[in-house]
Every structure is written in C-alpha cells, then in structure tokens.
Amino acid sequence: MKKVLIVGAGLTGSVLARQLAEAGVPCVVIDKQTFVGGLCHSRRDEETGVDMHVFGPHIFHTSDERVWAYVQRFDRFCPWVNRVKACNHRGVFSFPVNLHTINQLFGKQFTPAEACQFVQSLQDKRFPNPRNAEEKMLSLVGREIYETFFQGYTTKQWGVSPAEMPADVVMRIPVRFNYEDNYYNSKYQGFPVSGYTQWITNMLTHPLITVLLGVPYEHGMKEEYGHVFYAGPIDEYFLYAEGDLSYRTVEFKVMRGLGDMQGCGCMNFSDLSVPYTRSHQHNYFSPWEHHDRSVLMQEFSRASTRESPKFYPVRMKSDMEILRRYTRRAEAEPTVSFIGRLGCYRYLDMRHCVLLMLEFAEKWLEWKKKGSAGKPPMLLEA
Ligand code: UDP
C-alpha cells in the first residue's frame, strides 16, 4: 500500500501510526514541534530531576479492557489514584463533590442517604431540562455547592459564565454520596513508568513508521501520499476559510522548592479571585521516584490565538455552526481524515483518543481493502 502521512505525533497520531504500520501500511508521522507526545509530552526537569508533564497533568484512566491492554504494550503502568482537593474561600475540600465535601461544607455528619436527601432539597427545580452548565449544576446540587466549586472555576477555565457553556462540560465530574474521592470513575488509572514521551516513542518505534519532527504540514505534501490523517486544528487546515473556531490555551507558571510544596498531585482553585484554575505537583506523577526538590505548576487558562498551542475546543453554538461548514468541506476531501481533539474539534481524553484510533484504524483499513468504495470512515461530527 502507498505510504500515508499522519500529521501530529501526539497520542492520536501515534496510536494510528502503530495500528496502520502493524497492518503493513508504511506511515510518515510529522509534527511541527521538535518532540513527540503532543499535549502528553513529558520531560525530565534538569534542576530537580522530576519528570514534568509539560502541558499539564495527564493521568491515564480507562475502564475499557482493550484500551488498558493496548497502552500497556508500550510501557509498564504504575497504578495511581487522582485525589484532588478544591481550595476556595470556604476552605480546602475533598473533591469531586462527595459525602466528605458535603459534610465539610455544611458542618454535618450525614450518612449517604441523608446527604442525598439534603442535596435534593437544595436542587433548583426550575430547570427540568437544563440548557447550560449553570442550569445543570443548579438543578443537580443547588446554588451553594455550585457557587463554591463550579461557578468561578468554570468561568476562569472557559472565559465565559457557565450560563453560556454547554452542560456536558461540567458533567465530566461526578457527584457522589459516599466517601469515594477518586477524581475518575475508571477501573484502571496510572502512569507509564518511563514517562509519557518514552511511552509514545515506544509506540512509534516500528520499521514501517518514519517520524519527522520540526516539520509543519503543507498542502503540497498531499501529492506524495496515498492518504493524509490530520490531527491539527481543522480551521487551520482549511486556512480559516469558514472562520476561526474558539479554543482555550493554557499558560503555566513553574515553581520549584524543597520537599512537598502542596501535599497532593492536583489542587483546584474554585474562586474567581485566584487567577489560576489549578496547580499540580509533578513529583506525585512518578510515585516510584524520590526527589528532594519539587516542581509545582499553576495553570492559567486563556483565549487562544491562531499562533498559541490549543488545549481545549470551546464548542459554543457559534463554533458548532462554523464546524458544520468545515465538516462539509472535509466530506469533499476523501483522501484526508481529520482525527484527534483538534482535527475533530471535540473534547477527547487520552482514553478516548486511544479507543477512537483503534476503532478508526480498523474501519479505515476495511474501507481500503474494499478498494476505497463509498464514503471513507469519518470521525468529524457536526
Ligand atoms: N470544573 C469546575 N470546578 C472544578 C473542576 C472542574 O467547575 O474544581 C468544571 C470546569 O468547567 C471544567 C470541567 O468541570 O472545565 C471539567 O473538569 P476537568 O477537571 O475534567 O477538566 P480537564 O481535566 O479536562 O481540564
């Protein structure tokens, strides 16, 4: 089969390259950055020796047996549980909202059933069909919990009031009536012990995969390849012809200090008056290592420009309108597939990226085997 081009050496591009290469398809993977891993990229800090998650904490978690088995092919994973604290004007709380949080916030000693009944009494019944993140949280947990943990954080994270954000944004976080304080509901959770960059490098190490770093995509490249898989921002690919999609970017302030600086891996700062959304201490992300010094990173969410690295698709109504137009354009290019968080313009966690690419590679190979008859498989939804 003619070689294919994969644009982006992040997790999505790397899983796809591996799957195609193992099926006998030669792949060239390019990335405009000089490193692999995309937003999962990790690097050992020269000053402290701590392995840093350069673009913020990446805690791998999944309940999917296939995904869990797959990621472990490329490194051993050390189990870890993300136990987050939320810090705000009311104190430091267990988070996501669980029985401990409710008892802390209201000075109670509720049992699960009592807490559930109590929170039901707080629920705002005016929104049987919540239209946005604010209505969703008010109807789920009431005003006090919403204002203490969600209103400020969400405003900082997305740059708009939760009343303007889709409800699914906050639904990523569970609300529980027991003392379970694991941030995720997943069955498996942990870190690759050689670090994310080595893990991705292992994935990309295959005789049929060529990786070219520091190479930006140009449209002229298409001619050389049988197919292009594009994991960059879809609006950038179409030269912004249908308008700019909105994304959030993140800036980090890095601090180093002696000993344990925070006491946990991730701490969320719920108040609007604190300019960062969360801080993370990276020593906690390699619990099998010991370092005398620590690295702490504060995370500042900002509107993204065309030039800034893009972390989160915002997906406002106006964005979805623009995305629909790009999707029509993408449908007219059967030799290009848009993949990943930026190519599909949707929130994908690491586990989603892996699963989507395992399934997509199968579908695409099937489509090729059938002589590229009919429409190619497509991940874009709008
Ligand atoms: N969120 C919040 N308070 C918090 C943590 C999260 O209001 O303390 C909201 C916020 O809108 C955020 C969303 O929940 O964007 C999802 O949070 P998560 O921690 O999953 O964000 P990610 O890790 O993807 O940045």
Side-chain angles (χ1 to χ4, degrees), residues 32-33 233 236 240 244 247 249 303-310:
K32 65 179 177 186
Q33 305 290 355
E236 187 177 313
Y240 307 99
D244 290 52
Y247 305 85
T249 190
S304 137
T305 64
R306 284 187 182 180
E307 286 70 39
S308 38
K310 296 173 174 64

mmCIF file of all heavy atoms in Angstrom, residues 32-33 233 236 240 244 247 249 303-310:
data_model
loop_
_atom_site.group_PDB
_atom_site.id
_atom_site.type_symbol
_atom_site.label_atom_id
_atom_site.label_comp_id
_atom_site.label_asym_id
_atom_site.label_seq_id
_atom_site.Cartn_x
_atom_site.Cartn_y
_atom_site.Cartn_z
ATOM 1 N N LYS A 32 5.026 19.610 13.824
ATOM 2 C CA LYS A 32 5.722 20.906 13.744
ATOM 3 C C LYS A 32 6.593 21.147 14.980
ATOM 4 O O LYS A 32 7.557 21.894 14.951
ATOM 5 C CB LYS A 32 4.741 22.053 13.522
ATOM 6 C CG LYS A 32 3.774 22.304 14.646
ATOM 7 C CD LYS A 32 2.878 23.487 14.314
ATOM 8 C CE LYS A 32 1.852 23.683 15.415
ATOM 9 N NZ LYS A 32 0.864 24.685 15.136
ATOM 10 N N GLN A 33 6.253 20.465 16.075
ATOM 11 C CA GLN A 33 7.081 20.547 17.279
ATOM 12 C C GLN A 33 8.318 19.679 17.100
ATOM 13 O O GLN A 33 8.342 18.804 16.234
ATOM 14 C CB GLN A 33 6.307 20.049 18.502
ATOM 15 C CG GLN A 33 4.988 20.731 18.741
ATOM 16 C CD GLN A 33 5.146 22.177 19.208
ATOM 17 O OE1 GLN A 33 6.260 22.643 19.447
ATOM 18 N NE2 GLN A 33 4.032 22.875 19.316
ATOM 19 N N PRO A 233 -5.489 21.545 14.067
ATOM 20 C CA PRO A 233 -6.789 22.225 14.115
ATOM 21 C C PRO A 233 -7.441 22.271 12.728
ATOM 22 O O PRO A 233 -6.807 22.666 11.748
ATOM 23 C CB PRO A 233 -6.432 23.643 14.574
ATOM 24 C CG PRO A 233 -5.045 23.548 15.115
ATOM 25 C CD PRO A 233 -4.373 22.421 14.421
ATOM 26 N N GLU A 236 -7.428 25.562 10.839
ATOM 27 C CA GLU A 236 -6.113 25.900 10.281
ATOM 28 C C GLU A 236 -5.896 25.156 8.951
ATOM 29 O O GLU A 236 -5.390 25.722 7.975
ATOM 30 C CB GLU A 236 -5.024 25.524 11.287
ATOM 31 C CG GLU A 236 -3.638 25.969 10.904
ATOM 32 C CD GLU A 236 -2.605 25.624 11.983
ATOM 33 O OE1 GLU A 236 -2.866 25.883 13.184
ATOM 34 O OE2 GLU A 236 -1.551 25.086 11.622
ATOM 35 N N TYR A 240 -8.711 28.815 7.583
ATOM 36 C CA TYR A 240 -9.711 29.646 8.278
ATOM 37 C C TYR A 240 -10.808 30.162 7.328
ATOM 38 O O TYR A 240 -11.465 31.153 7.612
ATOM 39 C CB TYR A 240 -9.041 30.810 9.020
ATOM 40 C CG TYR A 240 -7.935 30.345 9.946
ATOM 41 C CD1 TYR A 240 -6.595 30.411 9.545
ATOM 42 C CD2 TYR A 240 -8.221 29.822 11.200
ATOM 43 C CE1 TYR A 240 -5.576 29.962 10.390
ATOM 44 C CE2 TYR A 240 -7.211 29.363 12.040
ATOM 45 C CZ TYR A 240 -5.897 29.442 11.632
ATOM 46 O OH TYR A 240 -4.897 28.991 12.445
ATOM 47 N N ASP A 244 -12.729 31.356 12.330
ATOM 48 C CA ASP A 244 -11.880 30.792 13.381
ATOM 49 C C ASP A 244 -12.739 30.104 14.439
ATOM 50 O O ASP A 244 -13.676 30.700 14.964
ATOM 51 C CB ASP A 244 -11.081 31.902 14.088
ATOM 52 C CG ASP A 244 -10.011 32.494 13.189
ATOM 53 O OD1 ASP A 244 -10.335 32.894 12.046
ATOM 54 O OD2 ASP A 244 -8.847 32.553 13.617
ATOM 55 N N TYR A 247 -10.833 28.230 20.865
ATOM 56 C CA TYR A 247 -10.137 27.250 21.702
ATOM 57 C C TYR A 247 -9.660 27.982 22.945
ATOM 58 O O TYR A 247 -9.499 29.198 22.947
ATOM 59 C CB TYR A 247 -8.880 26.710 21.013
ATOM 60 C CG TYR A 247 -9.071 26.124 19.645
ATOM 61 C CD1 TYR A 247 -9.067 26.932 18.503
ATOM 62 C CD2 TYR A 247 -9.225 24.756 19.481
ATOM 63 C CE1 TYR A 247 -9.217 26.377 17.243
ATOM 64 C CE2 TYR A 247 -9.370 24.196 18.224
ATOM 65 C CZ TYR A 247 -9.370 25.019 17.108
ATOM 66 O OH TYR A 247 -9.512 24.476 15.864
ATOM 67 N N THR A 249 -6.315 28.135 25.455
ATOM 68 C CA THR A 249 -4.939 27.726 25.618
ATOM 69 C C THR A 249 -4.609 27.817 27.103
ATOM 70 O O THR A 249 -5.392 28.380 27.883
ATOM 71 C CB THR A 249 -3.994 28.589 24.761
ATOM 72 O OG1 THR A 249 -2.681 27.999 24.784
ATOM 73 C CG2 THR A 249 -3.897 30.022 25.262
ATOM 74 N N ALA A 303 -7.814 32.740 26.286
ATOM 75 C CA ALA A 303 -8.346 32.591 24.927
ATOM 76 C C ALA A 303 -7.152 32.329 24.014
ATOM 77 O O ALA A 303 -6.083 32.898 24.198
ATOM 78 C CB ALA A 303 -9.057 33.858 24.509
ATOM 79 N N SER A 304 -7.357 31.471 23.044
ATOM 80 C CA SER A 304 -6.231 31.125 22.184
ATOM 81 C C SER A 304 -6.229 31.993 20.920
ATOM 82 O O SER A 304 -7.277 32.439 20.456
ATOM 83 C CB SER A 304 -6.345 29.632 21.890
ATOM 84 O OG SER A 304 -6.105 29.346 20.588
ATOM 85 N N THR A 305 -5.050 32.264 20.406
ATOM 86 C CA THR A 305 -4.929 32.962 19.125
ATOM 87 C C THR A 305 -4.558 31.914 18.063
ATOM 88 O O THR A 305 -4.339 30.753 18.405
ATOM 89 C CB THR A 305 -3.803 34.007 19.163
ATOM 90 O OG1 THR A 305 -2.561 33.304 19.354
ATOM 91 C CG2 THR A 305 -3.999 35.019 20.288
ATOM 92 N N ARG A 306 -4.460 32.335 16.810
ATOM 93 C CA ARG A 306 -4.076 31.368 15.774
ATOM 94 C C ARG A 306 -2.721 30.733 16.086
ATOM 95 O O ARG A 306 -2.472 29.582 15.750
ATOM 96 C CB ARG A 306 -4.010 32.053 14.403
ATOM 97 C CG ARG A 306 -5.393 32.309 13.844
ATOM 98 C CD ARG A 306 -5.331 32.837 12.431
ATOM 99 N NE ARG A 306 -6.677 33.106 11.945
ATOM 100 C CZ ARG A 306 -6.966 33.570 10.747
ATOM 101 N NH1 ARG A 306 -5.984 33.846 9.885
ATOM 102 N NH2 ARG A 306 -8.211 33.773 10.389
ATOM 103 N N GLU A 307 -1.859 31.500 16.738
ATOM 104 C CA GLU A 307 -0.487 31.025 16.972
ATOM 105 C C GLU A 307 -0.359 30.168 18.237
ATOM 106 O O GLU A 307 0.541 29.346 18.343
ATOM 107 C CB GLU A 307 0.490 32.211 17.103
ATOM 108 C CG GLU A 307 0.803 32.909 15.782
ATOM 109 C CD GLU A 307 -0.406 33.679 15.244
ATOM 110 O OE1 GLU A 307 -1.136 34.290 16.059
ATOM 111 O OE2 GLU A 307 -0.653 33.626 14.028
ATOM 112 N N SER A 308 -1.240 30.386 19.220
ATOM 113 C CA SER A 308 -0.998 29.706 20.513
ATOM 114 C C SER A 308 -1.323 28.215 20.433
ATOM 115 O O SER A 308 -2.166 27.798 19.640
ATOM 116 C CB SER A 308 -1.783 30.368 21.643
ATOM 117 O OG SER A 308 -3.043 30.776 21.225
ATOM 118 N N PRO A 309 -0.649 27.421 21.286
ATOM 119 C CA PRO A 309 -0.994 25.997 21.340
ATOM 120 C C PRO A 309 -2.431 25.838 21.827
ATOM 121 O O PRO A 309 -2.863 26.540 22.738
ATOM 122 C CB PRO A 309 0.000 25.419 22.351
ATOM 123 C CG PRO A 309 0.555 26.564 23.105
ATOM 124 C CD PRO A 309 0.412 27.781 22.246
ATOM 125 N N LYS A 310 -3.166 24.943 21.190
ATOM 126 C CA LYS A 310 -4.602 24.825 21.501
ATOM 127 C C LYS A 310 -4.834 23.629 22.410
ATOM 128 O O LYS A 310 -4.453 22.521 22.087
ATOM 129 C CB LYS A 310 -5.381 24.707 20.199
ATOM 130 C CG LYS A 310 -5.218 25.979 19.385
ATOM 131 C CD LYS A 310 -5.809 25.919 18.018
ATOM 132 C CE LYS A 310 -5.730 27.279 17.362
ATOM 133 N NZ LYS A 310 -4.351 27.738 17.147
#
